[in-house]
PDB file of all heavy atoms in Angstrom:
ATOM      1  N   LEU M 902       0.835  -1.192   0.000  1.00  0.00           N
ATOM      2  CA  LEU M 902       0.000   0.000   0.000  1.00  0.00           C
ATOM      3  C   LEU M 902       0.877   1.252   0.000  1.00  0.00           C
ATOM      4  O   LEU M 902       2.036   1.220   0.451  1.00  0.00           O
ATOM      5  CB  LEU M 902      -0.899   0.022   1.239  1.00  0.00           C
ATOM      6  CG  LEU M 902      -1.903  -1.131   1.405  1.00  0.00           C
ATOM      7  CD1 LEU M 902      -2.576  -1.031   2.783  1.00  0.00           C
ATOM      8  CD2 LEU M 902      -2.946  -1.117   0.299  1.00  0.00           C
ATOM      9  N   THR M 903       0.321   2.334  -0.480  1.00  0.00           N
ATOM     10  CA  THR M 903       1.052   3.599  -0.375  1.00  0.00           C
ATOM     11  C   THR M 903       1.000   4.093   1.070  1.00  0.00           C
ATOM     12  O   THR M 903       0.193   3.618   1.880  1.00  0.00           O
ATOM     13  CB  THR M 903       0.434   4.675  -1.285  1.00  0.00           C
ATOM     14  OG1 THR M 903      -0.887   4.988  -0.803  1.00  0.00           O
ATOM     15  CG2 THR M 903       0.354   4.186  -2.727  1.00  0.00           C
ATOM     16  N   GLU M 904       1.842   5.029   1.365  1.00  0.00           N
ATOM     17  CA  GLU M 904       1.858   5.583   2.720  1.00  0.00           C
ATOM     18  C   GLU M 904       0.518   6.227   3.054  1.00  0.00           C
ATOM     19  O   GLU M 904       0.015   6.110   4.173  1.00  0.00           O
ATOM     20  CB  GLU M 904       2.978   6.613   2.834  1.00  0.00           C
ATOM     21  CG  GLU M 904       3.184   7.113   4.259  1.00  0.00           C
ATOM     22  CD  GLU M 904       4.406   8.016   4.388  1.00  0.00           C
ATOM     23  OE1 GLU M 904       5.334   7.889   3.564  1.00  0.00           O
ATOM     24  OE2 GLU M 904       4.412   8.849   5.326  1.00  0.00           O
ATOM     25  N   ALA M 905      -0.101   6.882   2.053  1.00  0.00           N
ATOM     26  CA  ALA M 905      -1.398   7.530   2.272  1.00  0.00           C
ATOM     27  C   ALA M 905      -2.482   6.494   2.506  1.00  0.00           C
ATOM     28  O   ALA M 905      -3.354   6.673   3.377  1.00  0.00           O
ATOM     29  CB  ALA M 905      -1.752   8.393   1.060  1.00  0.00           C
ATOM     30  N   GLU M 906      -2.448   5.403   1.731  1.00  0.00           N
ATOM     31  CA  GLU M 906      -3.446   4.338   1.897  1.00  0.00           C
ATOM     32  C   GLU M 906      -3.315   3.685   3.271  1.00  0.00           C
ATOM     33  O   GLU M 906      -4.312   3.388   3.938  1.00  0.00           O
ATOM     34  CB  GLU M 906      -3.287   3.291   0.794  1.00  0.00           C
ATOM     35  CG  GLU M 906      -3.714   3.768  -0.577  1.00  0.00           C
ATOM     36  CD  GLU M 906      -3.360   2.783  -1.670  1.00  0.00           C
ATOM     37  OE1 GLU M 906      -2.325   2.079  -1.526  1.00  0.00           O
ATOM     38  OE2 GLU M 906      -4.091   2.709  -2.664  1.00  0.00           O
ATOM     39  N   THR M 907      -2.086   3.478   3.689  1.00  0.00           N
ATOM     40  CA  THR M 907      -1.842   2.885   5.005  1.00  0.00           C
ATOM     41  C   THR M 907      -2.367   3.796   6.105  1.00  0.00           C
ATOM     42  O   THR M 907      -3.063   3.358   7.027  1.00  0.00           O
ATOM     43  CB  THR M 907      -0.338   2.629   5.205  1.00  0.00           C
ATOM     44  OG1 THR M 907       0.133   1.727   4.208  1.00  0.00           O
ATOM     45  CG2 THR M 907      -0.062   2.064   6.593  1.00  0.00           C
ATOM     46  N   SER M 908      -2.053   5.079   5.989  1.00  0.00           N
ATOM     47  CA  SER M 908      -2.476   6.044   7.001  1.00  0.00           C
ATOM     48  C   SER M 908      -3.997   6.130   7.065  1.00  0.00           C
ATOM     49  O   SER M 908      -4.576   6.204   8.161  1.00  0.00           O
ATOM     50  CB  SER M 908      -1.879   7.416   6.678  1.00  0.00           C
ATOM     51  OG  SER M 908      -2.306   8.378   7.614  1.00  0.00           O
ATOM     52  N   GLN M 909      -4.649   6.112   5.898  1.00  0.00           N
ATOM     53  CA  GLN M 909      -6.101   6.213   5.856  1.00  0.00           C
ATOM     54  C   GLN M 909      -6.751   5.008   6.516  1.00  0.00           C
ATOM     55  O   GLN M 909      -7.727   5.143   7.254  1.00  0.00           O
ATOM     56  CB  GLN M 909      -6.576   6.328   4.401  1.00  0.00           C
ATOM     57  CG  GLN M 909      -8.086   6.426   4.259  1.00  0.00           C
ATOM     58  CD  GLN M 909      -8.692   7.596   5.020  1.00  0.00           C
ATOM     59  OE1 GLN M 909      -8.101   8.682   5.068  1.00  0.00           O
ATOM     60  NE2 GLN M 909      -9.852   7.395   5.633  1.00  0.00           N
ATOM     61  N   ARG M 910      -6.223   3.823   6.275  1.00  0.00           N
ATOM     62  CA  ARG M 910      -6.774   2.611   6.899  1.00  0.00           C
ATOM     63  C   ARG M 910      -6.667   2.698   8.425  1.00  0.00           C
ATOM     64  O   ARG M 910      -7.594   2.321   9.149  1.00  0.00           O
ATOM     65  CB  ARG M 910      -6.041   1.367   6.387  1.00  0.00           C
ATOM     66  CG  ARG M 910      -6.469   0.936   4.992  1.00  0.00           C
ATOM     67  CD  ARG M 910      -5.640  -0.261   4.525  1.00  0.00           C
ATOM     68  NE  ARG M 910      -6.075  -0.701   3.213  1.00  0.00           N
ATOM     69  CZ  ARG M 910      -6.814  -1.783   2.969  1.00  0.00           C
ATOM     70  NH1 ARG M 910      -7.200  -2.539   3.992  1.00  0.00           N
ATOM     71  NH2 ARG M 910      -7.164  -2.124   1.746  1.00  0.00           N
ATOM     72  N   ILE M 911      -5.542   3.154   8.905  1.00  0.00           N
ATOM     73  CA  ILE M 911      -5.343   3.241  10.353  1.00  0.00           C
ATOM     74  C   ILE M 911      -6.306   4.271  10.952  1.00  0.00           C
ATOM     75  O   ILE M 911      -6.946   4.017  11.987  1.00  0.00           O
ATOM     76  CB  ILE M 911      -3.883   3.608  10.685  1.00  0.00           C
ATOM     77  CG1 ILE M 911      -2.946   2.456  10.253  1.00  0.00           C
ATOM     78  CG2 ILE M 911      -3.719   3.882  12.174  1.00  0.00           C
ATOM     79  CD1 ILE M 911      -1.478   2.794  10.376  1.00  0.00           C
ATOM     80  N   LYS M 912      -6.422   5.437  10.277  1.00  0.00           N
ATOM     81  CA  LYS M 912      -7.311   6.492  10.778  1.00  0.00           C
ATOM     82  C   LYS M 912      -8.773   6.052  10.789  1.00  0.00           C
ATOM     83  O   LYS M 912      -9.553   6.472  11.648  1.00  0.00           O
ATOM     84  CB  LYS M 912      -7.153   7.746   9.933  1.00  0.00           C
ATOM     85  CG  LYS M 912      -5.841   8.485  10.168  1.00  0.00           C
ATOM     86  CD  LYS M 912      -5.746   9.721   9.292  1.00  0.00           C
ATOM     87  CE  LYS M 912      -4.433  10.454   9.533  1.00  0.00           C
ATOM     88  NZ  LYS M 912      -4.304  11.642   8.633  1.00  0.00           N
ATOM     89  N   SER M 913      -9.155   5.203   9.831  1.00  0.00           N
ATOM     90  CA  SER M 913     -10.538   4.754   9.741  1.00  0.00           C
ATOM     91  C   SER M 913     -10.878   3.672  10.764  1.00  0.00           C
ATOM     92  O   SER M 913     -12.028   3.248  10.870  1.00  0.00           O
ATOM     93  CB  SER M 913     -10.827   4.217   8.335  1.00  0.00           C
ATOM     94  OG  SER M 913     -10.101   3.012   8.104  1.00  0.00           O
ATOM     95  N   GLY M 914      -9.868   3.222  11.487  1.00  0.00           N
ATOM     96  CA  GLY M 914     -10.099   2.205  12.517  1.00  0.00           C
ATOM     97  C   GLY M 914     -10.053   0.784  11.998  1.00  0.00           C
ATOM     98  O   GLY M 914     -10.526  -0.149  12.674  1.00  0.00           O
ATOM     99  N   ALA M 915      -9.478   0.603  10.817  1.00  0.00           N
ATOM    100  CA  ALA M 915      -9.364  -0.742  10.257  1.00  0.00           C
ATOM    101  C   ALA M 915      -8.458  -1.594  11.152  1.00  0.00           C
ATOM    102  O   ALA M 915      -7.395  -1.131  11.585  1.00  0.00           O
ATOM    103  CB  ALA M 915      -8.787  -0.675   8.847  1.00  0.00           C
ATOM    104  N   PRO M 916      -8.845  -2.824  11.449  1.00  0.00           N
ATOM    105  CA  PRO M 916      -8.002  -3.695  12.280  1.00  0.00           C
ATOM    106  C   PRO M 916      -6.654  -3.944  11.601  1.00  0.00           C
ATOM    107  O   PRO M 916      -6.594  -4.111  10.373  1.00  0.00           O
ATOM    108  CB  PRO M 916      -8.814  -4.988  12.378  1.00  0.00           C
ATOM    109  CG  PRO M 916     -10.218  -4.603  12.041  1.00  0.00           C
ATOM    110  CD  PRO M 916     -10.100  -3.494  11.051  1.00  0.00           C
ATOM    111  N   TYR M 917      -5.631  -3.950  12.386  1.00  0.00           N
ATOM    112  CA  TYR M 917      -4.306  -4.211  11.831  1.00  0.00           C
ATOM    113  C   TYR M 917      -3.419  -4.866  12.883  1.00  0.00           C
ATOM    114  O   TYR M 917      -3.740  -4.881  14.073  1.00  0.00           O
ATOM    115  CB  TYR M 917      -3.655  -2.909  11.341  1.00  0.00           C
ATOM    116  CG  TYR M 917      -3.242  -1.978  12.469  1.00  0.00           C
ATOM    117  CD1 TYR M 917      -2.013  -2.114  13.127  1.00  0.00           C
ATOM    118  CD2 TYR M 917      -4.097  -0.962  12.889  1.00  0.00           C
ATOM    119  CE1 TYR M 917      -1.644  -1.268  14.161  1.00  0.00           C
ATOM    120  CE2 TYR M 917      -3.740  -0.115  13.931  1.00  0.00           C
ATOM    121  CZ  TYR M 917      -2.514  -0.274  14.556  1.00  0.00           C
ATOM    122  OH  TYR M 917      -2.151   0.555  15.587  1.00  0.00           O
ATOM    123  N   VAL M 918      -2.313  -5.393  12.409  1.00  0.00           N
ATOM    124  CA  VAL M 918      -1.232  -5.845  13.285  1.00  0.00           C
ATOM    125  C   VAL M 918       0.055  -5.273  12.716  1.00  0.00           C
ATOM    126  O   VAL M 918       0.105  -4.848  11.549  1.00  0.00           O
ATOM    127  CB  VAL M 918      -1.134  -7.389  13.355  1.00  0.00           C
ATOM    128  CG1 VAL M 918      -2.380  -7.995  13.965  1.00  0.00           C
ATOM    129  CG2 VAL M 918      -0.844  -7.996  11.982  1.00  0.00           C
ATOM    130  N   VAL M 919       1.079  -5.247  13.549  1.00  0.00           N
ATOM    131  CA  VAL M 919       2.408  -4.860  13.075  1.00  0.00           C
ATOM    132  C   VAL M 919       3.280  -6.115  13.089  1.00  0.00           C
ATOM    133  O   VAL M 919       3.376  -6.798  14.109  1.00  0.00           O
ATOM    134  CB  VAL M 919       3.038  -3.761  13.952  1.00  0.00           C
ATOM    135  CG1 VAL M 919       4.444  -3.427  13.459  1.00  0.00           C
ATOM    136  CG2 VAL M 919       2.158  -2.521  13.966  1.00  0.00           C
ATOM    137  N   ARG M 920       3.863  -6.419  11.935  1.00  0.00           N
ATOM    138  CA  ARG M 920       4.706  -7.605  11.790  1.00  0.00           C
ATOM    139  C   ARG M 920       6.180  -7.210  11.679  1.00  0.00           C
ATOM    140  O   ARG M 920       6.525  -6.134  11.173  1.00  0.00           O
ATOM    141  CB  ARG M 920       4.312  -8.398  10.542  1.00  0.00           C
ATOM    142  CG  ARG M 920       2.951  -9.093  10.640  1.00  0.00           C
ATOM    143  CD  ARG M 920       2.641  -9.871   9.361  1.00  0.00           C
ATOM    144  NE  ARG M 920       1.373 -10.584   9.442  1.00  0.00           N
ATOM    145  CZ  ARG M 920       1.217 -11.813   9.897  1.00  0.00           C
ATOM    146  NH1 ARG M 920       2.285 -12.491  10.331  1.00  0.00           N
ATOM    147  NH2 ARG M 920       0.031 -12.381   9.917  1.00  0.00           N
ATOM    148  N   PHE M 921       7.036  -8.092  12.138  1.00  0.00           N
ATOM    149  CA  PHE M 921       8.469  -7.889  12.005  1.00  0.00           C
ATOM    150  C   PHE M 921       8.886  -8.232  10.583  1.00  0.00           C
ATOM    151  O   PHE M 921       8.434  -9.232  10.022  1.00  0.00           O
ATOM    152  CB  PHE M 921       9.219  -8.774  13.001  1.00  0.00           C
ATOM    153  CG  PHE M 921      10.708  -8.588  12.972  1.00  0.00           C
ATOM    154  CD1 PHE M 921      11.272  -7.403  13.396  1.00  0.00           C
ATOM    155  CD2 PHE M 921      11.547  -9.605  12.518  1.00  0.00           C
ATOM    156  CE1 PHE M 921      12.643  -7.222  13.385  1.00  0.00           C
ATOM    157  CE2 PHE M 921      12.924  -9.437  12.499  1.00  0.00           C
ATOM    158  CZ  PHE M 921      13.476  -8.235  12.935  1.00  0.00           C
ATOM    159  N   LEU M 922       9.745  -7.432  10.008  1.00  0.00           N
ATOM    160  CA  LEU M 922      10.239  -7.684   8.658  1.00  0.00           C
ATOM    161  C   LEU M 922      11.463  -8.584   8.735  1.00  0.00           C
ATOM    162  O   LEU M 922      12.591  -8.111   8.888  1.00  0.00           O
ATOM    163  CB  LEU M 922      10.575  -6.362   7.971  1.00  0.00           C
ATOM    164  CG  LEU M 922      10.939  -6.451   6.486  1.00  0.00           C
ATOM    165  CD1 LEU M 922       9.720  -6.841   5.665  1.00  0.00           C
ATOM    166  CD2 LEU M 922      11.496  -5.110   5.993  1.00  0.00           C
ATOM    167  N   MET M 923      11.225  -9.879   8.656  1.00  0.00           N
ATOM    168  CA  MET M 923      12.322 -10.838   8.744  1.00  0.00           C
ATOM    169  C   MET M 923      13.115 -10.823   7.439  1.00  0.00           C
ATOM    170  O   MET M 923      12.544 -10.987   6.360  1.00  0.00           O
ATOM    171  CB  MET M 923      11.776 -12.246   9.017  1.00  0.00           C
ATOM    172  CG  MET M 923      12.849 -13.299   9.232  1.00  0.00           C
ATOM    173  SD  MET M 923      13.881 -13.006  10.702  1.00  0.00           S
ATOM    174  CE  MET M 923      12.703 -13.324  12.021  1.00  0.00           C
ATOM    175  N   PRO M 924      14.421 -10.600   7.501  1.00  0.00           N
ATOM    176  CA  PRO M 924      15.221 -10.538   6.263  1.00  0.00           C
ATOM    177  C   PRO M 924      15.308 -11.903   5.580  1.00  0.00           C
ATOM    178  O   PRO M 924      15.114 -12.941   6.200  1.00  0.00           O
ATOM    179  CB  PRO M 924      16.587 -10.077   6.761  1.00  0.00           C
ATOM    180  CG  PRO M 924      16.639 -10.511   8.189  1.00  0.00           C
ATOM    181  CD  PRO M 924      15.234 -10.385   8.696  1.00  0.00           C
ATOM    182  N   GLU M 925      15.605 -11.854   4.293  1.00  0.00           N
ATOM    183  CA  GLU M 925      15.745 -13.081   3.512  1.00  0.00           C
ATOM    184  C   GLU M 925      17.214 -13.458   3.372  1.00  0.00           C
ATOM    185  O   GLU M 925      18.080 -12.601   3.196  1.00  0.00           O
ATOM    186  CB  GLU M 925      15.143 -12.866   2.116  1.00  0.00           C
ATOM    187  CG  GLU M 925      15.305 -14.044   1.179  1.00  0.00           C
ATOM    188  CD  GLU M 925      14.873 -13.731  -0.243  1.00  0.00           C
ATOM    189  OE1 GLU M 925      14.400 -12.600  -0.486  1.00  0.00           O
ATOM    190  OE2 GLU M 925      15.034 -14.608  -1.118  1.00  0.00           O
ATOM    191  N   GLY M 926      17.497 -14.761   3.494  1.00  0.00           N
ATOM    192  CA  GLY M 926      18.826 -15.273   3.180  1.00  0.00           C
ATOM    193  C   GLY M 926      19.925 -14.887   4.153  1.00  0.00           C
ATOM    194  O   GLY M 926      21.102 -14.879   3.794  1.00  0.00           O
TER     195      GLY M 926
END
């Protein structure tokens, strides 16, 4: 998602979680 789309979802109260970005390899 774009930064604006992400921000809008959070502001609208959409359920979310924060995940750790596990590196590859």
